[in-house]
Amino acid sequence: MLIQAVGAMLPAALAVALSPFPLIGIVLILSGARGRRNGLLFAVGWITGLTVTATLVAVLFGGADDPESTSSAIADRGRVLAGGALIVLGVRKWWQRPRAGEQAEPPRWMASLDDATAGRALLLGALLSGANPKNLVLTASATASIVEAGAHDVGLAVAVAVFVLIASCTVLGAVGMHLAGGQRAATFLDGVRQFMVTNSTVITVLVLLLLGASVLGDGLSGLGR
């Protein structure tokens, strides 16, 4: 049952982990004057946001493992809406991409990350993981899949913890590399940041379209049972 639950949520967890902007943000924070402290706080906020969101969804859809239940029907309808929304967001993101010769405007929250306060680093991590609309949809879909797989009690808690760990692997990896790797790690992470900045639109669009199609398909399949 646990293996089924982990398999069901794995695509969404990887999509959260591969989101470009949180990775860009954590690298910018780590490169600042208080990078070690703020990087750890960002990671704590990130994990907290994912955990709280997943827990709330697990409570809300507690009976979704019964295909005939109202919770299951709501989860499937929610997947259809969420999958369609992700696809629309992906198309919109591609349509609004910077054209040749244009410079993409960085999000406002990236301003002055190198000298962020401890409170801002913690809050930013929580908001980017738990309140970001794309991550919210992916976390909700992943957690609903865990519940529908029949995970309960300890199995449910373990599956949610695995989801949070996988969804946090890039953020935690960046922090761990910075703490242990010194200047070589800083150079590598800056290269990753530049790659993400350059290719953020393509990466985001691919994630949105692929996961949107997957979530939409799961929802339609559930409604057709």
Side-chain angles (χ1 to χ4, degrees), residues 177-178 180-192:
M177 189 175 296
H178 177 81
Q183 185 56 45
R184 290 182 62 185
T187 301
F188 173 78
L189 289 173
D190 187 62
V192 172

Side-chain angles (χ1 to χ4, degrees), residues 87-201:
I87 292 172
V88 170
L89 285 174
V91 173
R92 183 171 177 266
K93 182 76 174 176
W94 181 253
W95 183 262
Q96 295 177 342
R97 72 190 186 281
R99 307 302 177 181
E102 294 181 350
Q103 185 71 26
E105 287 291 328
R108 291 183 179 180
W109 58 264
M110 285 188 183
S112 304
L113 283 182
D114 54 349
D115 61 352
T117 63
R120 186 184 178 204
L122 180 66
L123 181 61
L124 185 60
L127 291 177
L128 283 177
S129 65
N132 177 285
K134 177 174 70 65
N135 281 0
L136 188 60
V137 168
L138 293 173
T139 301
S141 177
T143 308
S145 297
I146 290 172
V147 174
E148 288 178 334
H152 295 286
D153 302 326
V154 175
L156 177 61
V158 171
V160 169
V162 172
F163 165 76
V164 172
L165 182 62
I166 295 173
S168 305
C169 65
T170 49
V171 170
L172 293 175
V175 173
M177 189 175 296
H178 177 81
L179 294 176
Q183 185 56 45
R184 290 182 62 185
T187 301
F188 173 78
L189 289 173
D190 187 62
V192 172
R193 179 190 64 80
Q194 292 179 20
F195 175 83
M196 288 293 187
V197 169
T198 303
N199 299 281
S200 62
T201 297

Side-chain angles (χ1 to χ4, degrees), residues 70-83:
T70 302
S71 296
S72 179
I74 293 174
D76 288 329
R77 291 188 179 96
R79 282 196 183 93
V80 171
L81 293 174

Side-chain angles (χ1 to χ4, degrees), residues 205-216:
V205 168
L206 286 175
V207 168
L208 289 173
L209 293 180
L210 292 175
L211 263 296
S214 176
V215 171
L216 177 61

